């Protein structure tokens, strides 16, 4: 599942400085380097250049052959270290996430001080992130992706990787909130109101930055009315009105209360910290 363009993800720092020396030894013809044959007679820098060239042409399986050749025939060269990371990137581009994650785990363990270690953590987080499934399905993978993205932010807070990770975390949280909403709606439709309240409250408490919160507050208003808890329904609708005065969900909640002759505080200018204060006052 492609969620974002991949143009930002190529580790140029790995490729460009090293290719300057390699190009002088490689004639640019694929026929001169055979990844399936013996690489012992070929210099590691030439193999690396051939691998990069294959990647740029979208021939990722062929690129992996070159990078594996470096590891196999020149395991102690500096090129082998970079080849491990580039092979992982090639697997990622082929959507072979399990293989890429395994390679990145080994790279991180063996080379914790590598100049591109931040990229290795970031690429590993992308492998989990791009496996996020629809909100209707199990979201264990989303939780793992969140943890991986957070690790990038914690370890490398001032890098472009951390900035991108923060944006992706917003989407991951939206998926988790969506799952809670799906389960809450199911419980509500079956009259299992206590269980539904737990799900909707989790959305309000733990996923306040997602776009699911207005509906969660409206569903709470509906349930409290169904249970005859008029005061709780009014307070939930008031929190909705103060924080999302233009929301269609507030209009629906307001209409429900108006039909029963229940007054609300109505939408007003939001005040700093009101959301937390008003929500806590409900319970």
């Amino acid at each position: 599942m492609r969620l974002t363009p991949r143009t930002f993800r190529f580790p140029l720092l790995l490729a460009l400085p090293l290719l300057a020396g390699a190009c002088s030894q490689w004639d640019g013809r694929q026929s001169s380097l055979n990844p399936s044959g013996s690489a012992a007679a070929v210099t590691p820098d030439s193999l690396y250049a051939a691998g990069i060239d294959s990647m740029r042409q979208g021939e990722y399986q062929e690129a992996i052959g070159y990078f594996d050749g470096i590891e196999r025939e020149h395991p102690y060269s500096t090129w082998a270290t970079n080849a491990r990371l580039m092979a992982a990137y090639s697997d990622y581009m082929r959507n072979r996430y399990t293989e890429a994650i395994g390679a990145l785990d080994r790279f991180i363990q063996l080379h914790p001080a590598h100049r591109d270690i931040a990229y290795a953590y970031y690429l590993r987080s992308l492998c989990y992130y791009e496996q996020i499934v629809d909100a209707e399905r199990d979201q264990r993978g989303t939780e793992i992706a969140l943890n991986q993205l957070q690790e990038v932010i914690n370890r490398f807070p001032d890098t472009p990787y951390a900035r991108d990770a923060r944006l992706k975390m917003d989407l991951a949280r939206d998926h988790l909130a969506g799952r809670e909403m799906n389960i809450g709606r199911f419980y509500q439709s079956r009259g299992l109101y206590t269980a539904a309240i737990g799900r909707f409250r989790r959305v309000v408490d733990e996923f306040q930055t997602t776009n699911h919160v207005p509906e969660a507050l409206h569903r709470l208003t509906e349930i409290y009315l169904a249970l005859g808890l008029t005061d709780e329904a009014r307070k939930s609708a008031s929190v909705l009105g103060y924080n999302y005065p233009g929301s269609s969900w507030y209009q629906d909640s307001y209409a429900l209360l108006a039909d029963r002759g229940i007054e609300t505080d109505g939408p007003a200018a939001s005040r700093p910290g009101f959301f937390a204060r008003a929500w806590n006052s409900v319970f």
Side-chain angles (χ1 to χ4, degrees):
M1 178 181 181
R2 294 287 198 277
L3 296 178
T4 54
R6 295 188 169 194
T7 54
F8 174 62
R9 306 172 190 180
F10 185 78
L12 289 176
L13 292 178
L14 283 170
L16 297 181
L18 298 174
L19 288 179
C23 291
S24 63
Q25 300 185 45
W26 178 49
D27 61 11
R29 293 188 305 231
Q30 296 295 337
S31 59
S32 66
L33 295 168
N34 183 2
S36 61
S38 174
V42 183
T43 61
D45 50 343
S46 295
L47 284 170
Y48 193 88
I52 295 297
D53 184 69
S54 294
M55 286 177 54
R56 286 173 171 162
Q57 296 180 44
E59 300 293 338
Y60 297 109
Q61 180 59 52
E62 185 176 84
I64 290 173
Y66 290 121
F67 296 134
D68 286 347
I70 297 174
E71 286 199 74
R72 184 174 58 254
E73 303 294 343
H74 310 279
Y76 303 110
S77 68
T78 57
W79 299 91
T81 301
N82 294 286
R84 294 185 188 102
L85 187 51
M86 298 309 287
Y89 176 82
S90 297
D91 272 326
Y92 160 76
M93 291 299 293
R94 297 168 61 220
N95 298 328
R96 301 291 293 271
Y97 298 118
T98 300
E99 291 85 346
I101 290 170
L104 290 164
D105 284 342
R106 291 190 296 274
F107 181 89
I108 290 170
Q109 181 179 9
L110 293 173
H111 310 288
H114 193 273
R115 61 175 181 172
D116 290 299
I117 191 65
Y119 180 80
Y121 275 93
Y122 172 72
L123 185 58
R124 186 175 66 176
S125 74
L126 291 184
C127 290
Y128 287 105
Y129 173 78
E130 294 199 3
Q131 296 181 78
I132 291 176
V133 297
D134 294 334
E136 288 77 10
R137 300 171 59 187
D138 179 70
Q139 292 295 297
R140 174 58 183 160
T142 306
E143 295 173 353
I144 296 175
L146 270 172
N147 292 335
Q148 293 291 322
L149 291 165
Q150 187 63 58
E151 186 169 18
V152 173
I153 295 169
N154 292 344
R155 288 179 178 272
F156 315 102
D158 300 322
T159 64
Y161 306 127
R163 291 193 291 272
D164 191 61
R166 291 186 185 96
L167 295 176
K168 287 176 170 56
M169 286 189 72
D170 289 339
L171 178 62
R173 290 194 184 98
D174 193 75
H175 274 268
L176 290 178
R179 177 175 179 269
E180 294 300 309
M181 292 300 298
N182 287 334
I183 297 173
R185 293 188 205 101
F186 173 81
Y187 287 148
Q188 184 180 5
S189 68
R190 298 298 190 276
L192 303 172
Y193 294 135
T194 300
I197 288 172
R199 297 292 178 165
F200 294 137
R201 285 197 63 187
R202 186 184 179 211
V203 172
V204 174
D205 290 338
E206 299 181 21
F207 304 104
Q208 294 185 13
T209 60
T210 71
N211 58 13
H212 295 283
V213 173
E215 182 186 354
L217 288 166
H218 171 69
R219 299 301 178 191
L220 287 168
T221 302
E222 287 182 326
I223 293 174
Y224 290 137
L225 287 176
L227 293 173
L229 301 174
T230 303
D231 192 48
E232 285 79 357
R234 181 183 61 79
K235 290 179 179 179
S236 293
S238 295
V239 173
L240 178 54
Y242 269 101
N243 290 275
Y244 309 96
S247 169
S248 60
W249 294 112
Y250 172 69
Q251 296 174 15
D252 292 343
S253 290
Y254 185 84
L256 284 175
L257 295 173
D259 287 344
R260 301 194 181 196
I262 303 171
E263 295 184 359
T264 69
D265 294 336
S270 297
R271 298 190 296 273
F274 175 81
F275 189 97
R277 295 198 306 273
W279 178 245
N280 291 335
S281 71
V282 175
F283 300 96

